Amino acid sequence: MSASVPDVPQRAPDDTSPAADAVLTLTGERTIPDLDVENYWFRRHQVVYQRLAPRCAGREVLEAGCGEGYGADLIAGVARRVVAVDYDAAAVAHVRGRYPRVELMQANLAELPLPDASVDVVVNFQVIEHLWDQSQFVAECARVLRPAGLLMVSTPNRITFSPGRDTPINPFHTRELNAVELTELLVDAGFSGVAMHGLFHGPRLAEMDARHGGSIIDAQIARAMADAPWPPGLAADVAAVTADDFDLIDSSERDIDDSLDLIAIAVRP
């Protein structure tokens, strides 16, 4: 899923090659790899998959809300089995065609189509902010997890993503959370040992921020909202962002309220 704010529909470049299977439309709702214009958001999401994938090694994993599918496929490289669930039929068809080692189900995340205690890990990255009934979803995660199983959630930090607002800026988001609210949501569903981490810009992205008026994020949003051409310098910087340009930091080491995204790891007793 995408954390990008613009509601300006954009389409991936036309590609009639055999490898271009079921290209998804870029709307701001989900992140799509291999597009320069989307690269910042893609890398911001990719880094969480990369850093947390080792926790899935040799385990049975459910990705609840798989979007384009690149994350489920990354986890499939280390997990024993990956089942991915998404509500969107186009996304399910796309993932089936592009990522054959991922098992796909189309379903509502509030009613996960899995038996009780059937998986070791549930991954839910950049999705929970899109859900209307977050409590029901988290309860479903607890239901399908085996004892001592992990729920790993990432979501935009409301404090920095929609500062000073009660309602999300992103039209695709229903409810955004801060660290305290996310922790309470997980604890209320019966999870324990909630560890909270924050995603921050590393040194190279801090330099890009300085080059683009203090925020490379705001610079991208301004152009997208105005449907305006990107200055060459901004386009080049966005295309050059890598997953290594982000820092994933424990809440004990830095003020979590300053983070861009929240990453919670919770244990089912």
Side-chain angles (χ1 to χ4, degrees), residues 233-251:
L234 176 62
D237 277 349
V238 168
V241 173
T242 73
D244 291 336
D245 292 324
F246 296 90
D247 293 334
L248 190 62
I249 300 176
D250 186 89
S251 60

Side-chain angles (χ1 to χ4, degrees), residues 127-149:
V127 173
I128 198 166
E129 66 276 6
H130 295 262
L131 304 181
W132 288 104
D133 195 339
Q134 295 173 346
S135 296
Q136 171 63 20
F137 165 68
V138 175
E140 277 290 276
C141 292
R143 180 185 66 78
V144 303
L145 277 167
R146 296 176 178 130

Side-chain angles (χ1 to χ4, degrees), residues 1-268:
M1 306 299 286
S2 174
S4 50
V5 170
D7 188 23
V8 180
Q10 303 173 52
R11 184 173 292 276
D14 290 338
D15 185 348
T16 56
S17 68
D21 50 292
V23 173
L24 294 176
T25 301
L26 178 60
T27 64
E29 184 177 14
R30 68 171 66 87
T31 296
I32 298 176
D34 305 322
L35 294 176
D36 286 351
V37 71
E38 182 74 359
N39 185 59
Y40 169 85
W41 299 103
F42 170 65
R43 301 301 179 185
R44 179 164 156 176
H45 296 176
Q46 181 190 43
V47 62
V48 180
Y49 284 102
Q50 289 181 343
R51 303 285 174 84
L52 297 189
R55 295 175 182 266
C56 301
R59 310 182 82 177
E60 292 189 87
V61 179
L62 165 67
E63 179 165 28
C66 63
E68 194 275 342
Y70 64 87
D73 185 64
L74 187 155
I75 292 170
V78 298
R80 181 165 73 250
R81 177 191 182 207
V82 176
V83 178
V85 175
D86 203 278
Y87 186 73
D88 184 70
V92 169
H94 171 84
V95 177
R96 281 200 179 114
R98 185 166 185 176
Y99 303 111
R101 58 184 178 178
V102 177
E103 300 176 35
L104 264 294
M105 296 182 181
Q106 183 183 359
N108 190 323
L109 299 190
E111 298 178 357
L112 293 171
L114 278 79
D116 294 357
S118 57
V119 296
D120 303 304
V121 181
V122 175
V123 171
N124 181 248
F125 293 161
Q126 301 295 331
V127 173
I128 198 166
E129 66 276 6
H130 295 262
L131 304 181
W132 288 104
D133 195 339
Q134 295 173 346
S135 296
Q136 171 63 20
F137 165 68
V138 175
E140 277 290 276
C141 292
R143 180 185 66 78
V144 303
L145 277 167
R146 296 176 178 130
L150 298 180
L151 171 58
M152 303 195 295
V153 178
S154 77
T155 190
N157 179 10
R158 176 173 59 79
I159 294 173
T160 57
F161 199 81
S162 297
R165 291 174 58 101
D166 294 327
T167 56
I169 294 173
N170 189 316
F172 295 110
H173 293 182
T174 60
R175 180 196 176 204
E176 295 170 355
L177 303 161
N178 62 28
V180 171
E181 293 163 343
L182 178 55
T183 300
E184 289 176 348
L185 184 68
L186 298 174
V187 171
D188 288 349
F191 285 93
S192 63
V194 179
M196 192 68 63
H197 307 263
L199 192 73
F200 298 85
H201 281 179
R204 203 165 77 101
L205 271 168
E207 293 175 1
M208 293 183 187
D209 283 332
R211 283 200 294 272
H212 300 288
S215 173
I216 193 172
I217 300 171
D218 290 346
Q220 294 176 79
I221 292 170
R223 270 64 182 191
M225 295 298 287
D227 197 18
W230 287 30
L234 176 62
D237 277 349
V238 168
V241 173
T242 73
D244 291 336
D245 292 324
F246 296 90
D247 293 334
L248 190 62
I249 300 176
D250 186 89
S251 60
S252 64
E253 300 174 15
R254 188 167 173 180
D255 188 350
I256 198 73
D257 288 344
D258 293 335
S259 66
L260 299 167
D261 295 326
L262 303 169
I263 298 92
I265 303 172
V267 179
R268 181 201 184 281

